Amino acid sequence: MADSGQDGVAAPVEGLRFTVLGPVQVLVAGEPVAIGSPGARALLLLLILHANQVLSVDRIVDGLWGDDPPATARTIVHGYVSRLRRVLETVDGRAAQLLTRAPGYELRVDESRVDLYRARRLLDTARGQNSVRRAELLRTAAGLWRGPVPVNPPTDAVAVELAELRLVIIAERIEADLELGRHAELVGELRNL
């Protein structure tokens, strides 16, 4: 597990990290690693969203293709899994593992390696803190976004969910800044929103 950082939340782990608050990426020492096709990237997103849980092949097929999967959907999924396994084993086979677990697959990873889980922990930790601390934690959480999540299956619904999380974080941070009397500093930001 990661050490607790200054913000009282597990500090980001060095080495292998996963980002979904923007384009889906696997990073090693801050540098992106080639994942493969858009389909492999979409599968990785699904696995990250369900980290440390078994995700059935049926749910994966539904997440990747919805109501119109190709006849070879299961074979394609197995190919994506093989590709992702090779990537993870190459970069750091101990930091994250893609396991076969009936009836599907499980991405086993320390959640401190995933930006989404860190943002959620920062939001949870901020609630109930004084205004100064709350603003700091929420500013850190908002800073984890690196751009919009690409919108296409399965990310269309995910993009909406992540955008809502970002807006909650920003709204709560603005509220904390208002409590601190930072009205003038917020004018430009509020216009942009």
Side-chain angles (χ1 to χ4, degrees):
M1 281 307 224
D3 294 329
S4 184
Q6 291 179 332
D7 52 27
V9 176
V13 177
E14 294 299 318
L16 181 69
R17 291 185 302 118
F18 297 91
T19 63
V20 297
L21 301 177
V24 177
Q25 292 183 313
V26 175
L27 302 173
V28 176
E31 294 297 318
V33 174
I35 299 171
S37 69
R41 192 176 318 284
L43 173 59
L44 180 60
L45 175 61
L46 287 173
L47 291 166
I48 289 171
L49 294 173
H50 299 90
N52 303 311
Q53 304 170 36
V54 175
L55 190 59
S56 72
V57 173
D58 289 340
R59 284 188 65 198
I60 292 170
V61 168
D62 186 54
L64 294 178
W65 293 283
D67 295 333
D68 193 25
T72 59
R74 288 177 172 272
T75 303
I76 294 169
V77 167
H78 296 309
Y80 291 160
V81 167
S82 292
R83 170 70 180 149
L84 291 174
R85 275 193 180 134
R86 280 193 304 275
V87 168
L88 294 176
E89 288 168 1
T90 301
V91 296
D92 188 345
R94 293 162 297 156
Q97 296 177 318
L98 182 48
L99 306 171
T100 301
R101 299 268 191 249
Y105 300 98
E106 175 186 358
L107 177 64
R108 188 167 296 163
V109 62
D110 181 339
E111 290 182 354
S112 66
R113 294 184 182 278
V114 181
D115 60 355
L116 171 62
Y117 296 106
R118 181 166 166 74
R120 286 179 176 161
R121 276 193 304 275
L122 286 162
L123 175 62
D124 290 343
T125 302
R127 292 179 170 152
Q129 300 288 325
N130 66 50
S131 300
V132 172
R133 187 77 179 121
R134 201 165 71 245
E136 289 172 2
L137 291 168
L138 294 169
R139 193 168 285 107
T140 300
L144 294 173
W145 265 263
R146 297 166 347 283
V149 174
V151 180
N152 55 14
T155 57
D156 47 0
V158 172
V160 170
E161 178 184 333
L162 296 180
E164 288 174 0
L165 175 63
R166 183 173 180 260
L167 287 175
V168 166
I169 289 169
I170 290 171
E172 290 191 24
R173 198 255 317 138
I174 288 171
E175 182 180 315
D177 282 343
L178 286 171
E179 290 170 10
L180 293 168
R182 297 175 177 159
H183 304 94
E185 299 165 23
L186 294 171
V187 172
E189 181 179 2
L190 290 172
R191 272 192 201 124
N192 289 336
L193 290 174

